């Protein structure tokens, strides 16, 4: 993966430290120092934020010396931005692939919700890291928005645009529908552990289980033209020209 500093163009706050460090000799039993450093950095950045975390603390958490850490990452910014990019890139690529598939708009939205939740459950620390960066309104968050969040939004917007054109979704401006989808996804993940305290009749698990159905219910048009053939005859439906606003 390319160095994150190449993608995110802002001046580091902490100067690079040039150290002469011997490259660790790898054997079949050698630990993966890069992975260990990344895991430690991700946990600390997610808990304390960028400003509240030091290279020394990351090295201590990883059980290595600072010199070895600098062998892999030239400074704290490089490590932080690399972790953010890794946290967000996989799910964005998944969403883009789903958007490019031949499935119906409804099926695509359902697949995106499932992919998003599966990614969160597999990598919860990644979501905490991203959320912390966004909450801090850091330059890193702006870079993420420009290079990654925008790609995710564009993919979802293509799906909602198609859904509106063919009468599956409500005839609202597709950017609004796309923001609604992203907003519900992010808020549900962010707050689901508190749902039981908010409402005794709803649990966080049930919210996540029904999230795709909830989003699709809000997106669907009220007109009865939502044909029974949406799933069965997608090729026939999508082979027709979408209705124009003048018809």
């Amino acid at each position: 993966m390319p160095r994150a500093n190449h993608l995110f163009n802002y001046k580091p706050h902490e100067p690079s430290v040039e150290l002469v460090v011997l490259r660790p000799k790898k054997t079949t039993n050698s630990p993966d120092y890069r992975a260990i450093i990344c895991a430690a950095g991700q946990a600390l950045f997610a808990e304390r934020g960028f400003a509240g975390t030091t290279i020394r603390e990351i090295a201590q958490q990883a059980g290595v010396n600072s010199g070895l850490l600098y062998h892999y990452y030239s400074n704290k910014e490089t490590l932080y931005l690399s972790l953010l990019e890794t946290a967000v890139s996989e799910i964005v690529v998944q969403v883009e692939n789903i958007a490019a598939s031949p499935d119906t708009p409804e099926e695509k939205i359902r697949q995106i919700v499932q992919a998003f939740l599966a990614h969160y459950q597999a990598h919860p620390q990644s979501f905490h890291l991203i959320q912390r960066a966004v909450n801090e309104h850091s330059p890193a968050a702006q870079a993420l928005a420009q290079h990654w969040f925008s790609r995710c939004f564009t993919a979802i917007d293509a799906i909602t645009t198609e859904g509106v054109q063919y009468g599956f979704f409500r005839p609202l401006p597709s950017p609004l529908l796309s923001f609604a989808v992203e907003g519900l996804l992010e808020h549900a993940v962010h707050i689901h552990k508190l749902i039981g305290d908010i409402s005794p009749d709803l649990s966080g698990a049930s919210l996540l289980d029904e999230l795709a159905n909830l989003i699709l219910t809000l997106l669907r048009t009220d007109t009865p033209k939502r044909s029974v053939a949406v799933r069965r005859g997608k090729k026939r439906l999508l082979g027709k020209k979408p209705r124009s606003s003048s018809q």
Side-chain angles (χ1 to χ4, degrees), residues 45-46 49 80 84 87 116 120 124-138 141 144 149 182-183 185-191:
F45 285 134
Y80 183 59
L84 286 172
F116 192 91
Y120 166 72
Q125 199 71 259
S126 295
F127 279 80
H128 298 324
L129 176 69
I130 295 167
Q131 191 63 53
R132 183 74 186 236
V134 171
N135 289 345
E136 290 177 346
H137 304 288
S138 66
L144 283 177
F149 297 165
E182 286 195 358
L185 274 171
E186 293 169 8
H187 189 63
V189 166
H190 189 58
I191 203 173

Side-chain angles (χ1 to χ4, degrees), residues 82-157:
S82 177
L83 290 172
L84 286 172
E85 184 183 58
T86 299
V88 74
S89 59
E90 182 181 338
I91 186 60
V92 170
V93 171
Q94 279 186 273
V95 169
E96 289 178 328
N97 289 338
I98 291 169
S101 76
D103 295 324
T104 67
E106 288 192 358
E107 289 167 339
K108 291 178 183 180
I109 292 295
R110 189 175 296 279
Q111 290 168 23
I112 285 174
V113 173
Q114 291 169 347
F116 192 91
L117 295 181
H119 191 75
Y120 166 72
Q121 289 162 356
H123 309 284
Q125 199 71 259
S126 295
F127 279 80
H128 298 324
L129 176 69
I130 295 167
Q131 191 63 53
R132 183 74 186 236
V134 171
N135 289 345
E136 290 177 346
H137 304 288
S138 66
Q142 293 178 325
L144 283 177
Q146 292 169 359
H147 293 281
W148 291 104
F149 297 165
S150 61
R151 285 175 54 178
C152 188
F153 177 82
T154 298
I156 295 176
D157 190 55

Side-chain angles (χ1 to χ4, degrees), residues 169-203:
F169 297 159
R170 295 178 181 274
L172 296 172
S174 59
L176 294 180
L177 297 180
S178 304
F179 272 119
V181 172
E182 286 195 358
L184 280 169
L185 274 171
E186 293 169 8
H187 189 63
V189 166
H190 189 58
I191 203 173
H192 76 280
K193 292 183 178 180
L194 299 176
I195 289 297
D197 298 316
I198 297 172
S199 171
D201 299 323
L202 184 64
S203 69

